[in-house]
């Protein structure tokens, strides 16, 4: 089901040149000095980056780490606007940050992953933004909780924020993976499906945590049809005070953007449209058959539940289920289906069957 938000299309923001996709927001992780900000902005502006980002307040895990230069950095962003005509943006995590951004003419703000996870702070920020015209981007929460993400969008929208977008930066994980954060593309696709009308950015910098992964993650975002990228770029990443490993020089960013293949969302190609509609019609028939088959299976599960109740038998028969799952995984493998895919599908079916039988036993 789509999430209905009262929003203004990104084409009416006046921020991006949409004739040259993707939409790009770039700049250093942190504003560290006026010289660093101005040098980076000048280089980014030279090849068409129109929206400059820089962290002013940095939420750090440990005290004593560089936590941003604070309000004085907003003066440097003002100078970027004046000298290069760029839009400027930064992260906000409190109403005080919002009021300071308004005071210094910041054009766009975003809510970070840690803040998105706190409804109290999101509401505080939403109230501070009430009656303003500042676009707000919302990063996914640290953990893969789509309701927290959606709830943040709803709070902002209810406060009158109509220029809304999202940033996907991946999720914290204890698993050993090559990236800084688990990309979790599945959740991004789900939110994209539920909120198709709002601009959707990927943040490959925080997702990857290393320059080595930025191109592949950016390309994946393009393959999925996301609208744009927020990428960290520093005039000299080697001396960056935060997240040095994941920042690109402006020239490296230019080359990366040039290497990307941007996928079209629609086309007027008659052959493509005719063939894709035929294939989709076939999928529709298969989906209808799947629904009928699942309904028949669940009805048999209910009959089994009635039979178990009559004979005072426990619902879950672990050995039986393990045998079924193992068999289905093997049959899936024979038909070219990944084990994880088959496992997810049949575990969901099993959970529904158990729930139905439990309802019968309690009835």
């Amino acid at each position: 089901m789509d999430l209905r938000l009262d929003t203004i299309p990104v084409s009416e923001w006046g921020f991006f040149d949409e004739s040259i996709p993707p939409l790009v927001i770039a700049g250093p992780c942190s504003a560290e000095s006026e010289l660093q900000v101005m040098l980076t902005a000048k280089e980014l502006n030279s090849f068409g980056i129109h929206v400059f980002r820089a962290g002013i307040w940095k939420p750090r895990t440990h005290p004593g780490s560089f936590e941003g230069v604070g309000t004085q950095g907003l003066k440097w962003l003002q100078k970027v606007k004046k000298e290069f005509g760029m839009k400027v943006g930064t992260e906000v995590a409190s109403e005080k940050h919002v009021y300071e951004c308004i005071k210094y003419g910041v054009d766009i703000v975003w809510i970070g992953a840690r803040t998105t996870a706190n409804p109290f702070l999101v509401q505080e920020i939403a109230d501070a933004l009430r009656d303003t015209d500042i676009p707000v981007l919302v990063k996914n929460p640290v953990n893969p909780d789509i309701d927290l993400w959606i709830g943040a969008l709803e709070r902002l929208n209810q406060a009158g924020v109509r220029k809304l977008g999202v940033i996907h930066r991946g999720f914290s994980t204890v698993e050993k993976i090559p990236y800084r954060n688990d990309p979790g593309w599945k959740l991004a696709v789900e939110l994209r499906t539920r909120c198709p009308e709002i601009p959707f950015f990927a943040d490959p910098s925080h997702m990857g945590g290393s320059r080595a992964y930025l191109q592949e993650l950016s390309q994946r975002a393009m393959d999925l049809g996301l609208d744009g990228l927020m990428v960290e770029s520093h005039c000299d990443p080697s001396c960056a005070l935060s997240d040095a490993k994941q920042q690109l020089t402006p020239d490296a960013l230019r080359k990366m953007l040039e290497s990307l293949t941007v996928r079209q969302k629609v086309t007027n190609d008659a052959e493509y449209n005719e063939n894709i509609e035929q294939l989709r019609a076939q999928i529709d028939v298969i989906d209808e058959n799947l629904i009928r088959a699942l309904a028949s299976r669940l009805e048999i599960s209910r009959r089994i539940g009635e039979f178990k109740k009559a004979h005072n038998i426990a619902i879950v028969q672990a050995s039986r289920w393990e045998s079924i799952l193992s068999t289905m995984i093997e049959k899936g493998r024979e038909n070219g289906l990944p084990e994880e895919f088959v496992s997810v599908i049949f575990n969901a079916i099993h959970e529904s069957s158990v729930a139905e039988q439990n309802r019968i036993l309690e009835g």
Side-chain angles (χ1 to χ4, degrees), residues 10 18 32 45 134 181 211 245 295 302 307 350:
V10 70
E18 294 184 274
E32 300 164 355
N45 187 60
I134 299 174
N181 289 299
R211 285 182 284 278
K245 293 180 180 180
R302 294 189 189 101
F307 204 56
H350 181 59

Side-chain angles (χ1 to χ4, degrees), residues 200-211:
F200 206 124
F201 294 82
D203 177 352
S205 303
H206 282 90
M207 199 178 291
S210 167
R211 285 182 284 278

